[in-house]
Amino acid sequence: MEPTPDLSHLTRRDYDRIYEPAEDTFLLLDALELDANALRAAKPQICLEIGSGSGCVSTFLGKILGSSVLYLCTDINFHACRCTFLTGVQNQVILDPINTSLDSAVQYRLMHGVDIILFNPPYVPTSSDEAEDAQEARTIEGSWAGGFNGMELTNVFLERVERLMSFQGKFYLVAVKQNDIEHIRRLMLHSHGLKSEIVLQRRAGREYLFVIRFTR
Amino acid sequence: MVRLITHNLLACHVKGCTSNNFPLEFKDAKLELREAEYNSEFIRGFLPKIEWKALVDTARQLGDTSLPLEQPEMLDDEFLKNLHHVLLEIHIEEGSMICPNCKHDYPISNGIPNMLLAEHEIG
């Protein structure tokens, strides 16, 4: 059992600006822990987390896989990039944060080059305007406001993710019931040839959460 | 911290800027050297993912001339250790990265590369 990363260096003031790890974060940690042996056995070289926020998830993955992996972490929120880096330091994991939207700036060089992709997207259904404004403002709201069906930003990334995945690549996506899990899985299979499995699902308060793993 | 391993994976992504958009050129780079754990297996495994000329040119611009212009066929320990140092131990903390094609300026502050674009620059 890997312990949850030490986040004691982050304060209330940080959590006014970045997403504080919650049930959805912990479900993703549990999914990675379940897959730990398979992930290690595949000897990944590059991991990429989209929207790394506090850095909790990539740090946890870093604890599972060790130091001979490059952990790239993107976030549109500069403060989140700082927190990601510092959470790595706090837990002796080196994370490389990049302040960018989704995989922009690395998509050109990482074509079919990423072994593990993690994305806990803004999945809460909101108005489209709310989701768009939040991404533009690069604030904490962008960590949860998901627009129509909670899928607006996720859909953009789902169109791109296959191009990033290496031959043995695995993509972990967090979603909620309102996102229509079966629709996502069918779309990824038919449009991009990616198979999927639900690794974990759990009810947490009003949310019904899923972690889906996609592979070739 | 922008390490050269990360820099080797970053390209300009301004709308329409699709050729000669890599590697980004450092400007006013403030370096820090920090030791990292040496793992020859990782360095060997990563080598095929590296754009060699971009790495060597960038390292030389930053004053590190330890890497040969041509990738050697024999990967001896001295070479791998130099490569380890260049990829993982040179950190750019402040400065910026300029696209060789469109001259877009991507600033680095507190070690974080800002690769964000304005709305009209997004493809």
Side-chain angles (χ1 to χ4, degrees):
Chain A
M1 280 281 284
E2 279 298 333
T4 305
D6 176 7
L7 300 174
S8 60
H9 57 294
L10 299 178
T11 65
R12 249 313 107 205
R13 283 178 56 199
D14 292 313
Y15 294 132
D16 288 341
R17 300 165 77 182
I18 67 155
Y19 188 74
E20 180 171 3
E23 289 303 325
D24 50 332
T25 318
F26 302 132
L27 189 71
L28 182 51
L29 299 191
D30 290 346
L32 294 172
E33 175 128 56
L34 268 181
D35 279 3
N37 286 336
L39 291 173
R40 281 190 207 103
K43 293 193 178 294
Q45 290 176 331
I46 301 184
C47 300
L48 172 64
E49 182 178 8
I50 306 296
S52 57
S54 66
C56 180
V57 179
S58 281
T59 298
F60 187 78
L61 188 63
K63 286 292 183 188
I64 291 175
L65 297 175
S67 63
S68 52
V69 179
L70 179 67
Y71 301 98
L72 297 172
C73 301
T74 72
D75 206 296
I76 199 165
N77 175 341
F78 181 83
H79 194 70
C81 292
R82 277 303 290 165
C83 291
T84 290
F85 175 67
L86 293 172
T87 297
V89 171
Q90 180 82 2
N91 293 275
Q92 299 85 47
V93 174
I94 299 178
L95 304 179
D96 288 87
I98 303 165
N99 190 196
T100 196
S101 170
L102 301 173
D103 61 340
S104 303
V106 292
Q107 56 184 352
Y108 168 82
R109 281 279 290 122
L110 286 181
M111 199 180 289
H112 300 307
V114 188
D115 303 306
I116 301 174
I117 301 169
L118 309 172
F119 191 21
N120 183 359
Y123 55 64
V124 178
T126 63
S127 74
S128 294
D129 284 350
E130 198 177 348
E132 216 172 285
D133 291 351
Q135 289 301 311
E136 249 169 69
R138 299 158 186 168
T139 56
I140 186 169
E141 217 193 340
S143 67
W144 54 266
F148 182 69
N149 282 348
M151 284 297 289
E152 287 191 25
L153 193 66
T154 308
N155 279 335
V156 175
F157 189 64
L158 292 181
E159 282 300 309
R160 300 186 187 180
V161 67
E162 188 276 330
R163 272 180 298 169
L164 283 174
M165 290 166 69
S166 68
F167 178 68
Q168 52 142 4
K170 293 184 171 69
F171 166 43
Y172 292 84
L173 177 72
V174 177
V176 287
K177 202 168 188 175
Q178 296 98 306
N179 299 152
D180 194 346
I181 309 298
E182 287 314 310
H183 175 75
I184 297 173
R185 297 182 61 192
R186 272 198 309 274
L187 173 89
M188 294 310 281
L189 184 62
H190 295 138
S191 302
H192 302 286
L194 297 179
K195 296 176 287 190
S196 62
E197 253 179 76
I198 294 171
V199 188
L200 276 177
Q201 49 185 305
R202 183 181 297 162
R203 179 174 282 287
R206 286 186 308 174
E207 288 184 337
Y208 203 106
L209 294 159
F210 294 80
V211 175
I212 317 166
R213 181 188 55 232
F214 297 89
T215 52
R216 289 191 187 280
Chain B
M1 37 153 233
V2 182
R3 301 193 289 176
L4 295 195
I5 193 169
T6 307
H7 171 265
N8 201 262
L9 301 175
L10 295 174
C12 182
H13 59 114
V14 168
K15 186 178 183 176
C17 186
T18 52
S19 62
N20 188 33
N21 58 344
F22 169 88
L24 303 173
E25 291 162 10
F26 283 111
K27 195 180 104 189
D28 304 327
K30 198 180 127 216
L31 309 191
E32 257 180 48
L33 301 180
R34 280 184 233 149
E35 227 171 277
E37 195 184 328
Y38 174 62
N39 181 329
S40 63
E41 200 190 339
F42 172 64
I43 298 293
R44 266 175 209 277
F46 212 91
L47 199 49
K49 296 192 191 279
I50 297 288
E51 283 281 350
W52 187 255
K53 188 177 179 322
L55 180 70
V56 174
D57 288 352
T58 303
R60 290 184 177 209
Q61 279 167 24
L62 297 175
D64 188 302
T65 54
S66 63
L67 297 179
L69 284 173
E70 296 290 328
Q71 217 181 96
E73 279 171 32
M74 280 290 291
L75 305 179
D76 62 28
D77 215 40
E78 189 193 346
F79 168 75
L80 290 171
K81 280 189 169 151
N82 287 339
L83 183 53
H84 160 83
H85 175 71
V86 167
L87 284 175
L88 303 177
E89 296 189 322
I90 300 176
H91 297 238
I92 291 80
E93 291 296 317
E94 302 288 334
S96 58
M97 296 179 289
I98 313 285
C99 172
N101 180 42
C102 76
K103 308 298 174 196
H104 193 283
D105 186 318
Y106 296 98
I108 301 167
S109 88
N110 283 299
I112 311 284
N114 177 348
M115 306 301 291
L116 295 167
L117 298 176
E119 187 70 21
H120 67 277
E121 297 167 325
I122 298 171

